[in-house]
Amino acid sequence: MKDTTTQPEKGSKLKELFNFMVYLALIFVLSYLLIQYVGQRTCVIGESMENTLQDGDNLIVDKITYRMKEPERFDIIVFPYQYKEKTYYVKRIIGLPGETVQIMPNGTIFINGQELEETYGREVIKEAGLAAKPITLGEDEYFVLGDNRNYSSDSRAVDVGNIKREDIVGRVWLRIYPFDSFGLISHR
């Protein structure tokens, strides 16, 4: 009598292995698409966005919103730092395309000659940097500041400057760590 129990078992194991490999490939492709086009995780390093964001905060960046609408004033965005590979900055949009931004010696921010009413600056700006003189933003440029203004490298600095629309990775959406601070990030 012929033993037939080993043959189907071999075929079954191969089929199971094939299904597992397809499953892994699908997970890999979906993960890649999510990270590339929907959202990505980033970690805050430093104090430049205190009190809104803290050193060590882990965030999810929304990469979809700006495909449907333009960035708005006070949005917190992520963009690459041009002088160091794989380094991203997290800052708040203050000036929009076509606007003129200036920071007065007393630290007051003016947009198109009007004082900006905002509550995000942690303290009075001591150094206006490039914005000591009026800066007129191009059609695709944004002026960004950290909330902890005196401890932030932002659009006031030559090495950061105005941020081009194409360089904006996305909008900070969710804090996932530390767990006791888990939640959506308010931009208003």
Side-chain angles (χ1 to χ4, degrees), residues 140-159:
D140 68 336
E141 292 181 328
Y142 295 83
F143 186 89
V144 298
L145 292 174
D147 288 357
N148 191 359
R149 305 283 161 81
N150 295 316
Y151 299 93
S152 176
S153 178
D154 46 41
S155 288
R156 297 172 292 170
V158 175
D159 64 328

Side-chain angles (χ1 to χ4, degrees), residues 66-82:
Y66 293 151
R67 294 175 197 260
M68 295 176 264
K69 69 176 195 145
E70 292 301 311
E72 298 176 1
R73 188 177 335 275
F74 305 129
D75 283 357
I76 301 172
I77 62 169
V78 174
F79 58 92
Y81 178 62
Q82 61 183 336

